[in-house]
Each structure stands twice: as structure tokens, then as C-alpha cells.
Amino acid sequence: MRGFIKREVQKLSLPLPPSAAFAMAGLNVSIAFFFLVVGVAQALRWLSKRLLPPGAYGCLARELASSLQLCTSCLELRMLLEIGPWGGGFGPDVVLTLLFFLFAVHGASFDGASANPTVSLQEFLLLESNLDATAAKLLAQAVGMGTGWAVTKLYWSWELTHFHLIQNLIASECSSSIHTSLQHAAFAEGTCSFLFHLVLLKLCRSHPIYRVPALAATVTFLTYTAGPFTGAFFNPALATVATFRCSGNSFWDYAQVYWLGPLAGEICPGWTREQGLGWGATVKAEMLDLAKG
């Protein structure tokens, strides 16, 4: 991929600036884009919360705005991760730092939205959400992710930095994010989903001061660990817009890794919690019976 990029850059005789200036210019534009996206999504949430009924806001508007925010941020981060190390002179540590802060911002601003189909399905399985609400959330997440992809593609087409120019050059040569066997990739995505949902369930009633950075740190760690193998999406909607169109694997291959893997991973924490709650209730009932006896 890097050889292809360099050949295309040489073919166009692009005058690349020094690495430090290149990196700073690209990062500044990307960071400004992140702030703009968060601001627009927050404005959408604020307006819809005041104009729509609570049910429509919680199931549709909030999920749509948060999915758009997550998708645009992650696509821009992925672009920096792919092009930044050789084109901008910065390593994955810069992108991982941005990832942590972005997910901390997401956690603080989502207002209860998940922007993740596996989280919505887990809420349904735990009887915390009914079928209609879950279907509405999944629809809003799909529309939000699709809109985020379209907005990001439009933003890249403006070629505000050399990063975006190169991204447009390699767009037709998009390659798969799966760099291991399908079984290993599905296991990696499932494990990431399992650990993420386990932490989410553990911290669901914690104060946001503790929950938000803990979840951001978890996402950053999982991305660092599994990123080289699958991209570490553990979000079916995000993976669909980010990598399903890329060559290298079939649709069914992607579905196994990015849909079935995370879905299997999210079921386990919910089942474990239900078993634990059921066991706890049984023990409590037996103790009450003994006390009465």
C-alpha cells in the first residue's frame, strides 16, 4: 500500500513539505474537524431534545447524531493511522492518544446513546429495551453511520491537507483490515466485544467521572492490541461503512468477522450477568427461607 501511495505521489509530482510541518498542519486540520463534528452533533442533540418527544429523541435523534459523530471521527482517525506514520512523521502513539481523548469526549457527550448495535441488542436481551425501541435504535445507527461516511468523503474531497489528497489517491485501492485468518479475526473481534461489554456492564451505574475515562482507556487498549489484526472495530455498523467495500475479502468473510464475532462477544457478558443475578436471587430466597424457618 505504501509503495502504491508513493508511486502515485511521484506521478503527480506533489511537493511534500517537511515532515514536522506536514504532521502539524495535517493534525491541526484533523483536530479542528473533530471539534466541528462534536459541536454539530451536540447541537443536533440539543435541538432534538427540545423539539421531539422523549421516546423519539432517545431511540432516533440521539442515536443518529452520536453515530454520525462516532463514524466521522473514527474514519478520520483511521486515515491518520494509515498515512501518518510515513507521510507525517508521527507514530501510532499520536493516533492512540487522540483516540483516548475522542472516546472520552464521546462518552461525555453521547447523552446515553451507544452508537453501537451490539450495545442496543444487549439492552434488548437484558430486557432493558423493547423490540420497537431496539429496532428504532438500529435504524438510527445505520442512518447515522451512513451519513457520517458520506460527510467524511465530502470533507476529504476538499483536500484541505496532503493527508486528504493522498487518501483520495488510494481510495480506489482500499484493502481489507483483516490481516490474519478468518477464525483468528472473528475471535479477536469477539474478544474485544466481550471485554468492552464486560467493562460497560461493570461501570454502567458508576459516576461518569469514573466511567467515561475507564471506557475510553478500554477502547484504546483494545484498539492497540487487536488493531493490527482486524482494525479493532467491535462495532458492526462502524465496520460496515469503514471496511466492507474494501477488496481482499468477500462480504460473507466480513460478516463473519465484524458482525458475528462482536455479536457472539456481547452475548457472553449479558448471559453471565443474568446467571449471576439469577444465582444471587436464588441464594437470597434460600437465606430468607432459612431465617423464617
Side-chain angles (χ1 to χ4, degrees):
M1 176 64 75
R2 292 183 182 180
F4 169 79
I5 297 173
K6 290 179 180 178
R7 287 195 300 273
E8 291 297 319
V9 170
Q10 291 171 356
K11 203 180 296 181
L12 294 176
S13 301
L14 293 176
L16 294 181
S19 294
F22 191 9
M24 287 307 299
L27 281 175
N28 288 339
V29 172
S30 293
I31 291 172
F33 176 68
F34 294 144
F35 276 110
L36 178 63
V37 166
V38 173
V40 170
Q42 188 65 17
L44 288 174
R45 281 187 290 264
W46 184 84
L47 286 173
S48 58
K49 192 171 186 176
R50 281 152 181 77
L51 298 177
L52 298 176
Y57 169 72
C59 296
L60 293 173
R62 183 176 63 182
E63 289 290 343
L64 191 151
S66 300
S67 297
L68 185 151
Q69 178 180 330
L70 178 65
C71 179
T72 51
S73 301
C74 288
L75 289 177
E76 181 74 358
L77 271 178
R78 190 177 183 219
M79 181 274 298
L80 291 176
L81 182 63
E82 290 178 350
I83 301 175
W86 71 269
F90 55 82
D93 56 321
V94 174
V95 179
L96 289 172
T97 301
L98 286 173
L99 177 67
F100 172 81
F101 284 110
L102 274 175
F103 267 85
V105 171
H106 293 338
S109 63
F110 273 13
D111 193 24
S114 66
N116 189 332
T118 61
V119 176
S120 299
L121 289 173
Q122 186 179 70
E123 292 172 350
F124 172 71
L125 294 175
L126 293 175
L127 304 180
E128 296 174 357
S129 177
N130 59 41
L131 181 60
D132 293 340
T134 301
K137 289 179 181 179
L138 295 178
L139 176 62
Q141 288 161 3
V143 173
M145 291 289 178
T147 305
W149 179 81
V151 168
T152 307
K153 292 286 288 185
L154 175 63
Y155 161 66
W156 285 345
S157 70
W158 296 340
E159 298 182 354
L160 300 179
T161 71
H162 276 63
F163 287 143
H164 299 144
L165 191 153
I166 295 171
Q167 173 63 34
N168 289 334
L169 286 176
I170 66 175
S172 60
E173 298 293 325
C174 173
S175 59
S176 173
S177 296
I178 301 174
H179 301 297
T180 184
S181 66
L182 290 180
Q183 294 78 10
H184 186 193
F187 177 77
E189 285 289 312
T191 302
C192 287
S193 181
F194 170 78
L195 294 174
F196 174 74
H197 284 86
L198 198 63
V199 174
L200 185 64
L201 286 174
K202 184 70 175 177
L203 300 175
C204 63
R205 291 181 175 83
S206 301
H207 195 279
I209 292 179
Y210 307 109
R211 184 179 67 250
V212 169
L215 287 174
T218 301
V219 170
T220 304
F221 171 75
L222 294 175
T223 302
Y224 173 76
T225 305
F229 303 106
T230 64
F233 292 102
F234 49 96
N235 183 326
L238 180 60
T240 299
V241 300
T243 195
F244 271 44
R245 60 189 173 81
C246 297
S247 60
N249 290 94
S250 66
F251 176 86
W252 176 238
D253 291 342
Y254 287 128
Q256 289 181 72
V257 173
Y258 295 114
W259 289 357
L260 298 183
L263 287 174
E266 67 89 8
I267 289 173
C268 295
W271 180 84
T272 303
R273 180 189 176 189
E274 286 297 294
Q275 291 295 107
L277 290 175
W279 179 83
T282 302
V283 171
K284 185 176 180 180
E286 291 178 351
M287 292 179 67
L288 288 174
D289 290 339
L290 288 174
K292 291 177 180 178

